[in-house]
Amino acid sequence: YQCDWSSDVCSSDLASEKTEVSAIAAVMEDRGAAGGKITPEMKVNAEKNPLSCALLAAKTVKSPSAEALTILEIAVRYAAAERKDEADEIISQAVRVAETIESASPKALVLAEIAGRCGEAGGGNRTPEIMSRALEEAQTIEDPLNKTTTLAYMAVISAEAGQCSESLQIAQTITNPISKANVLAATACKYAKMGQYDYARQIAAT
């Protein structure tokens, strides 16, 4: 096992952090570890329990945003391994880490990302609760442009995850008409893909 990843994943750009997390996820699958450096103690148990090793390694990531997203990836893999109870607890860990993010916009975005992928991690019933917390945080953003961008991104995350009612609720809080129209279009497309054409037409007509 040579998972000597740098723990310095401190980019404030969420897209860059998500790219880093995707790379970490690949290492998790191949070598049973994620995020920062793997200690000799971790290596001892890595072959027997790679997901557990990955979870420990994720805690060495310095950026709370990247750490929370990494833990979320691990929760998804626990769920895929039919370890749903553990996956649910790991989702809680991801939320706790996300709550330590100081800036409102990245905190809201990471919480929204967790909410959007709860279904994959076996915790779909927690989506409304976590998305509500994300929306609450987004409403504290003072800069109007940043607030609009954050809300629009959150709404698209919800739509892509099939949570169209949540997406519409968020869309109603967006004051910028262009951003709102883009969110409604994304939601209408998702409804259409789900075969709910009447809903899609209603939204497209608004």
Side-chain angles (χ1 to χ4, degrees), residues 139-162:
Q139 295 298 346
T140 69
I141 299 171
E142 294 182 359
D143 179 70
L145 179 59
N146 191 10
K147 185 175 184 177
T148 295
T149 302
T150 300
L151 288 168
Y153 187 79
M154 288 169 55
V156 171
I157 288 174
S158 293
E160 289 179 348

Side-chain angles (χ1 to χ4, degrees), residues 30-139:
D30 293 341
R31 303 175 181 174
K37 298 179 180 179
I38 307 306
T39 66
E41 291 78 12
M42 291 179 195
K43 291 180 181 179
V44 172
N45 296 317
E47 291 186 17
K48 294 181 180 178
N49 197 340
L51 289 173
S52 178
C53 176
L55 193 56
L56 287 171
K59 294 177 182 179
T60 70
V61 177
K62 290 181 180 179
S63 162
S65 296
E67 181 184 350
L69 292 174
T70 302
I71 293 171
L72 175 62
E73 293 283 356
I74 297 168
V76 170
R77 283 160 174 76
Y78 265 89
E82 300 298 326
R83 297 165 66 175
K84 301 295 176 63
D85 290 343
E86 291 166 286
D88 191 60
E89 172 54 31
I90 294 169
I91 291 173
S92 296
Q93 289 186 43
V95 171
R96 286 194 292 270
V97 173
E99 290 286 6
T100 69
I101 299 170
E102 294 183 2
S103 181
S105 178
K107 181 187 288 189
L109 291 174
V110 171
L111 286 169
E113 191 81 22
I114 294 170
R117 298 193 65 192
C118 268
E120 291 179 70
N125 60 322
R126 302 184 59 185
T127 295
E129 163 206 347
I130 299 173
M131 187 59 79
S132 175
R133 177 69 192 96
L135 185 56
E136 179 184 335
E137 192 66 33
Q139 295 298 346

Side-chain angles (χ1 to χ4, degrees), residues 170-181:
I170 296 171
Q172 298 311 312
T173 69
I174 297 174
T175 55
N176 181 285
I178 296 175
S179 296
K180 186 173 184 177

